[in-house]
Amino acid sequence: MSQQAYLDAATVRRLSVLQPWRTAFAVVFDWAVIFAAIAVSQWAQHWLVYLLAVAVIGGRMHGFGVLLHDFAHYRFLDGRKPLSDWVCDLLLAWPILSTVASYRQNHLAHHRYTNTDRDPDWVIKLGTRKFTFPQSWQHAVLDLVSYLVVVGSIFDIFSITARLRAAPRPPLAYRLARLGYYLAFAALFTLLGIWTEVLLYWVVPYLTVFFLLMHIRSVAEHFGSMDYSHELGGTRSVLPFFWERAFFAPHNVNYHLEHHLYPSVPFYNLPLLHAALMANPAYAARAHNTRGYTTGLVRETVFGTRSVPA
């Protein structure tokens, strides 16, 4: 939550107006891209096309995570409607083995206590080798490769599981519904005889590219050449190159500083929020904006050099 008002209340209210159709379109778009990637790979029957499909599917799974994040902030339907959570669980959270309720509890605590010893995300990462910067390029490359060989993903799964154990146990009816969801799909996959395709086109992207992108985003948001003494310095926004958006910054998740200041603004209005904030000289002078995940972010995390966009 912002300690200082960088925008007038009327602008924040205007940008916070929900347009559910835009979120619904984003959900449909991500699923459509996944099915298209599978169809093209199956048609081509070539290992290079398959690897591209894995990258694309992992990128859209990352998109699921970003949309889950918006749902956790109740940014789909007006009011805290149970329907919103069920839509999120069925179409976004459960497919990537998460739940909106458990994610919400952890994430809202992160917002409330950002970069402090009461921030669950901060506490579990601070001081670990993966989140100590600057770090040598060899360590950076090793971390990235660890996800492509699944080892990094397994470590992250254990870390997430430990964090979520603190969440209240969901009602029995909810747990049974979730179990039934997975059993129904297992039965469907068995009936259709497509377990090999599920492994190739869901499990492999999930355990490699998805967790790799989630790690990169986690680093980008709060680590490397940061100024934690000021609310505009402890959270980073990345201004991505066009090609980076599909993988590193789906659904405008790159505007993370803006989101922390005004979490009521849904993902589709974050570019407008960024423009409005940058028109304020006090904000523009201190906001931590970085150009590019593969350029500016690398300089800040590996070389410790602050990258200021032109």
Side-chain angles (χ1 to χ4, degrees):
M1 181 64 67
S2 173
Q3 299 173 2
Q4 179 178 338
Y6 298 100
L7 288 179
D8 61 277
T11 299
V12 176
R13 281 196 300 271
R14 174 174 59 83
L15 294 176
S16 299
V17 173
L18 300 181
Q19 297 175 282
W21 72 267
R22 300 187 69 171
T23 300
F25 178 84
V27 174
V28 172
F29 175 82
D30 283 352
W31 275 109
V33 170
I34 287 173
F35 285 125
I38 294 171
V40 170
S41 178
Q42 287 289 88
W43 170 79
Q45 292 294 307
H46 193 285
W47 67 272
L48 281 176
V49 179
Y50 169 71
L51 291 180
L52 179 59
V54 167
V56 170
I57 294 167
R60 289 306 93 194
M61 288 179 171
H62 184 203
F64 285 4
V66 174
L67 294 175
L68 163 60
H69 167 259
D70 243 46
F71 275 85
H73 282 281
Y74 303 101
R75 296 297 82 202
F76 177 45
L77 300 172
D78 287 321
R80 303 187 174 189
K81 299 181 179 180
L83 173 62
S84 177
D85 282 4
W86 279 111
V87 169
C88 182
D89 275 336
L90 291 170
L91 297 178
L92 300 170
W94 289 357
I96 56 173
L97 305 184
S98 184
T99 72
V100 66
S102 61
Y103 177 81
R104 178 181 288 131
Q105 181 186 34
N106 184 85
H107 185 68
L108 295 188
H110 164 66
H111 269 266
R112 191 174 299 115
Y113 307 113
T114 306
N115 299 339
T116 70
D117 58 7
R118 299 180 69 183
D119 176 351
D121 286 348
W122 175 261
V123 169
I124 206 163
K125 296 170 184 174
L126 188 65
T128 63
R129 186 187 65 79
K130 284 171 60 170
F131 289 92
T132 298
F133 301 96
Q135 61 182 228
S136 69
W137 68 265
Q138 293 95 331
H139 278 162
V141 170
L142 184 62
D143 279 341
L144 299 183
V145 171
S146 75
Y147 287 95
L148 297 180
V149 296
V150 184
V151 175
S153 306
I154 297 299
F155 274 106
D156 283 0
I157 289 171
F158 278 111
S159 174
I160 293 168
T161 302
R163 227 180 314 173
L164 296 182
R165 282 202 189 103
R169 192 176 178 86
L172 177 60
Y174 178 88
R175 284 181 278 138
L176 289 175
R178 190 180 181 197
L179 176 61
Y181 175 93
Y182 292 129
L183 289 176
F185 273 101
L188 178 63
F189 299 152
T190 301
L191 180 65
L192 297 176
I194 59 170
W195 276 108
T196 299
E197 287 77 9
V198 171
L199 173 65
L200 292 174
Y201 293 111
W202 199 262
V203 177
V204 171
Y206 178 75
L207 289 179
T208 55
V209 176
F210 170 71
F211 277 98
L212 169 64
L213 295 175
M214 292 291 287
H215 170 68
I216 292 171
R217 177 157 66 87
S218 182
V219 171
E221 290 174 348
H222 294 287
F223 290 91
S225 302
M226 310 300 289
D227 176 13
Y228 297 114
S229 67
H230 194 276
E231 67 174 346
L232 298 186
T235 303
R236 177 191 285 105
S237 283
V238 181
L239 308 181
F241 296 101
F242 177 78
W243 72 270
E244 294 179 327
R245 291 184 180 276
F247 298 99
F248 303 116
H251 310 306
N252 300 318
V253 73
N254 52 293
Y255 295 112
H256 197 62
L257 173 55
E258 294 82 354
H259 166 70
H260 263 270
L261 295 174
Y262 300 101
S264 65
V265 177
F267 74 91
Y268 39 82
N269 283 338
L270 288 178
L272 296 175
L273 176 62
H274 172 77
L277 285 168
M278 290 301 289
N280 180 340
Y283 175 87
R286 297 205 64 165
H288 194 129
N289 292 314
T290 298
R291 177 58 168 162
Y293 286 86
T294 55
T295 53
L297 181 62
V298 170
R299 285 194 291 270
E300 294 187 15
T301 56
V302 175
F303 301 106
T305 303
R306 174 70 188 275
S307 174
V308 181

Coordinates of all heavy atoms in Angstrom, one line a residue, residues 62 66 217 220-221 235-240 244-245 248-259 267 270-271 274 288-290 293:
H62 N 2.5 -19.4 -17.1 CA 2.9 -18.2 -16.4 C 1.8 -17.2 -16.4 O 1.5 -16.6 -15.4 CB 4.2 -17.7 -17.0 CG 4.7 -16.5 -16.3 ND1 5.5 -15.6 -16.9 CD2 4.6 -16.1 -15.0 CE1 5.9 -14.7 -16.0 NE2 5.3 -14.9 -14.8
V66 N -0.3 -15.2 -13.4 CA -0.6 -13.8 -13.4 C -2.1 -13.5 -13.2 O -2.4 -12.6 -12.4 CB 0.0 -13.1 -14.6 CG1 -0.4 -11.6 -14.6 CG2 1.5 -13.3 -14.7
R217 N 10.6 -13.9 -12.6 CA 9.7 -12.8 -12.2 C 9.9 -12.5 -10.7 O 9.8 -11.3 -10.3 CB 8.2 -13.1 -12.5 CG 7.3 -12.1 -12.1 CD 6.0 -12.2 -12.8 NE 5.2 -13.4 -12.6 CZ 4.4 -13.5 -11.6 NH1 4.2 -12.6 -10.7 NH2 3.7 -14.7 -11.4
A220 N 12.9 -10.4 -10.5 CA 12.7 -9.1 -11.1 C 11.8 -8.1 -10.2 O 12.1 -6.9 -10.2 CB 12.0 -9.2 -12.4
E221 N 10.9 -8.7 -9.4 CA 10.0 -7.8 -8.7 C 10.6 -7.1 -7.5 O 10.3 -6.0 -7.2 CB 8.8 -8.6 -8.3 CG 7.9 -9.0 -9.5 CD 6.8 -9.9 -9.2 OE1 6.7 -10.4 -8.0 OE2 5.9 -10.1 -10.0
T235 N 10.7 -2.1 -5.0 CA 9.9 -2.9 -5.9 C 10.2 -2.4 -7.3 O 10.3 -1.2 -7.6 CB 8.4 -2.7 -5.7 OG1 8.1 -3.1 -4.3 CG2 7.6 -3.6 -6.6
R236 N 10.4 -3.3 -8.3 CA 10.9 -3.0 -9.6 C 9.7 -3.2 -10.6 O 9.0 -4.2 -10.6 CB 12.1 -3.8 -10.0 CG 12.6 -3.6 -11.4 CD 13.6 -4.6 -11.8 NE 14.9 -4.4 -11.2 CZ 15.4 -5.2 -10.3 NH1 14.6 -6.2 -9.8 NH2 16.6 -5.0 -9.8
S237 N 9.6 -2.2 -11.5 CA 8.9 -2.4 -12.8 C 9.8 -2.6 -13.9 O 10.9 -1.9 -14.0 CB 7.9 -1.3 -13.0 OG 6.8 -1.3 -12.2
V238 N 9.5 -3.5 -14.8 CA 10.4 -3.8 -16.0 C 9.7 -3.3 -17.2 O 8.5 -3.7 -17.4 CB 10.8 -5.2 -16.1 CG1 11.7 -5.5 -17.3 CG2 11.5 -5.7 -14.8
L239 N 10.3 -2.6 -18.0 CA 9.7 -2.1 -19.3 C 10.3 -3.1 -20.4 O 11.4 -2.9 -20.8 CB 10.1 -0.7 -19.6 CG 9.8 0.3 -18.5 CD1 10.2 1.7 -18.9 CD2 8.3 0.2 -18.1
P240 N 9.5 -4.1 -20.7 CA 10.1 -5.2 -21.5 C 10.1 -4.9 -23.0 O 9.4 -4.0 -23.5 CB 9.1 -6.3 -21.3 CG 7.8 -5.6 -21.1 CD 8.1 -4.4 -20.4
E244 N 9.8 -10.1 -25.2 CA 9.8 -10.5 -23.8 C 8.4 -10.6 -23.2 O 8.2 -11.4 -22.2 CB 10.7 -9.6 -23.0 CG 12.1 -9.6 -23.3 CD 12.9 -8.6 -22.5 OE1 12.4 -7.5 -22.1 OE2 14.1 -8.9 -22.2
R245 N 7.5 -9.9 -23.7 CA 6.2 -9.8 -23.1 C 5.5 -11.2 -23.0 O 4.9 -11.5 -22.0 CB 5.2 -8.9 -23.9 CG 5.7 -7.4 -23.7 CD 4.7 -6.5 -24.4 NE 5.1 -5.1 -24.3 CZ 4.9 -4.3 -23.3 NH1 4.2 -4.8 -22.3 NH2 5.3 -3.1 -23.2
F248 N 8.0 -13.4 -20.2 CA 8.4 -12.8 -18.9 C 7.3 -11.9 -18.3 O 7.2 -11.7 -17.1 CB 9.7 -12.0 -19.0 CG 10.8 -12.8 -19.5 CD1 11.5 -12.5 -20.7 CD2 11.3 -13.9 -18.8 CE1 12.5 -13.2 -21.2 CE2 12.4 -14.6 -19.2 CZ 13.0 -14.3 -20.4
A249 N 6.4 -11.3 -19.2 CA 5.5 -10.3 -18.7 C 4.1 -10.4 -19.3 O 3.5 -9.5 -19.8 CB 6.1 -8.9 -19.0
P250 N 3.5 -11.6 -19.2 CA 2.1 -11.8 -19.7 C 1.2 -10.9 -18.8 O 1.4 -10.7 -17.6 CB 1.8 -13.3 -19.5 CG 2.7 -13.7 -18.4 CD 4.0 -12.9 -18.5
H251 N 0.2 -10.4 -19.5 CA -0.9 -9.6 -18.8 C -0.4 -8.5 -17.9 O -0.9 -8.3 -16.8 CB -1.8 -10.6 -18.0 CG -2.2 -11.8 -18.7 ND1 -2.9 -11.7 -19.9 CD2 -2.1 -13.1 -18.4 CE1 -3.2 -12.9 -20.3 NE2 -2.7 -13.8 -19.5
N252 N 0.6 -7.8 -18.5 CA 1.2 -6.6 -17.8 C 1.7 -6.8 -16.4 O 1.8 -5.8 -15.6 CB 0.1 -5.5 -17.8 CG -0.5 -5.1 -19.1 OD1 0.3 -5.0 -20.1 ND2 -1.8 -5.0 -19.2
V253 N 2.2 -8.0 -16.1 CA 2.7 -8.2 -14.8 C 4.0 -7.5 -14.5 O 4.5 -7.4 -13.4 CB 2.9 -9.7 -14.5 CG1 4.1 -10.3 -15.3 CG2 3.0 -10.1 -13.1
N254 N 4.6 -7.0 -15.6 CA 5.9 -6.2 -15.4 C 5.7 -4.9 -14.7 O 6.7 -4.4 -14.1 CB 6.5 -5.9 -16.8 CG 5.5 -5.2 -17.7 OD1 4.5 -5.9 -18.2 ND2 5.7 -4.0 -18.1
Y255 N 4.5 -4.4 -14.6 CA 4.2 -3.1 -13.9 C 4.0 -3.4 -12.4 O 2.9 -3.2 -11.8 CB 3.0 -2.4 -14.5 CG 3.2 -1.9 -15.9 CD1 2.5 -2.5 -16.9 CD2 4.1 -0.9 -16.2 CE1 2.7 -2.1 -18.2 CE2 4.3 -0.5 -17.5 CZ 3.6 -1.1 -18.5 OH 3.8 -0.6 -19.8
H256 N 5.0 -3.9 -11.8 CA 4.9 -4.4 -10.4 C 4.9 -3.3 -9.4 O 4.2 -3.4 -8.4 CB 5.9 -5.5 -10.1 CG 5.6 -6.3 -8.9 ND1 4.5 -7.1 -8.8 CD2 6.2 -6.5 -7.7 CE1 4.4 -7.8 -7.7 NE2 5.4 -7.4 -6.9
L257 N 5.7 -2.3 -9.6 CA 5.7 -1.2 -8.6 C 4.4 -0.5 -8.6 O 3.8 -0.2 -7.6 CB 6.9 -0.2 -9.0 CG 6.9 1.1 -8.3 CD1 7.0 0.9 -6.8 CD2 8.1 2.0 -8.7
E258 N 3.8 -0.3 -9.8 CA 2.5 0.3 -9.9 C 1.5 -0.5 -9.2 O 0.6 0.1 -8.5 CB 2.1 0.5 -11.4 CG 3.0 1.5 -12.2 CD 4.3 0.9 -12.7 OE1 4.6 -0.3 -12.3 OE2 5.0 1.6 -13.4
H259 N 1.6 -1.8 -9.3 CA 0.6 -2.7 -8.7 C 0.7 -2.6 -7.2 O -0.3 -2.6 -6.5 CB 0.8 -4.1 -9.1 CG 0.1 -5.1 -8.3 ND1 -1.3 -5.3 -8.3 CD2 0.6 -6.0 -7.4 CE1 -1.6 -6.2 -7.4 NE2 -0.5 -6.7 -6.9
F267 N -5.2 -5.8 -14.1 CA -4.0 -5.9 -14.9 C -4.1 -5.1 -16.2 O -3.1 -4.6 -16.7 CB -3.7 -7.4 -15.2 CG -4.6 -8.0 -16.2 CD1 -4.3 -8.1 -17.5 CD2 -5.8 -8.7 -15.7 CE1 -5.2 -8.7 -18.4 CE2 -6.6 -9.3 -16.6 CZ -6.3 -9.3 -18.0
L270 N -3.0 -1.4 -16.0 CA -1.7 -1.1 -15.5 C -0.8 -0.2 -16.4 O -0.1 0.7 -15.9 CB -0.9 -2.4 -15.1 CG -1.4 -3.1 -13.9 CD1 -0.6 -4.4 -13.6 CD2 -1.4 -2.2 -12.6
P271 N -0.9 -0.4 -17.7 CA -0.1 0.5 -18.6 C -0.6 2.0 -18.4 O 0.2 2.9 -18.5 CB -0.4 0.0 -20.0 CG -0.7 -1.4 -19.8 CD -1.4 -1.5 -18.5
H274 N 0.7 3.2 -15.2 CA 2.1 3.6 -15.3 C 2.3 5.0 -16.0 O 3.1 5.8 -15.5 CB 2.8 2.5 -16.2 CG 4.2 2.9 -16.5 ND1 5.3 2.8 -15.7 CD2 4.8 3.4 -17.7 CE1 6.4 3.2 -16.3 NE2 6.1 3.5 -17.5
H288 N 11.6 2.8 -9.5 CA 12.6 1.8 -10.0 C 12.1 1.2 -11.2 O 11.4 0.1 -11.2 CB 12.9 0.8 -8.9 CG 14.2 0.0 -9.3 ND1 15.2 -0.2 -8.4 CD2 14.5 -0.7 -10.4 CE1 16.1 -0.9 -9.0 NE2 15.7 -1.2 -10.2
N289 N 12.3 1.8 -12.4 CA 12.0 1.2 -13.7 C 13.2 0.7 -14.4 O 14.3 1.4 -14.4 CB 11.3 2.3 -14.6 CG 10.0 2.7 -14.1 OD1 9.2 1.9 -13.7 ND2 9.7 4.0 -14.0
T290 N 13.2 -0.5 -15.0 CA 14.3 -1.1 -15.6 C 13.9 -1.5 -17.0 O 12.8 -2.0 -17.3 CB 14.7 -2.3 -14.9 OG1 15.1 -2.0 -13.6 CG2 15.9 -3.1 -15.6
Y293 N 14.1 -7.5 -19.5 CA 14.5 -8.6 -18.6 C 15.8 -9.1 -19.0 O 16.6 -9.5 -18.1 CB 13.4 -9.7 -18.7 CG 12.1 -9.3 -18.0 CD1 11.1 -8.6 -18.7 CD2 11.9 -9.7 -16.7 CE1 9.9 -8.3 -18.0 CE2 10.7 -9.4 -16.0 CZ 9.7 -8.7 -16.7 OH 8.5 -8.4 -16.1

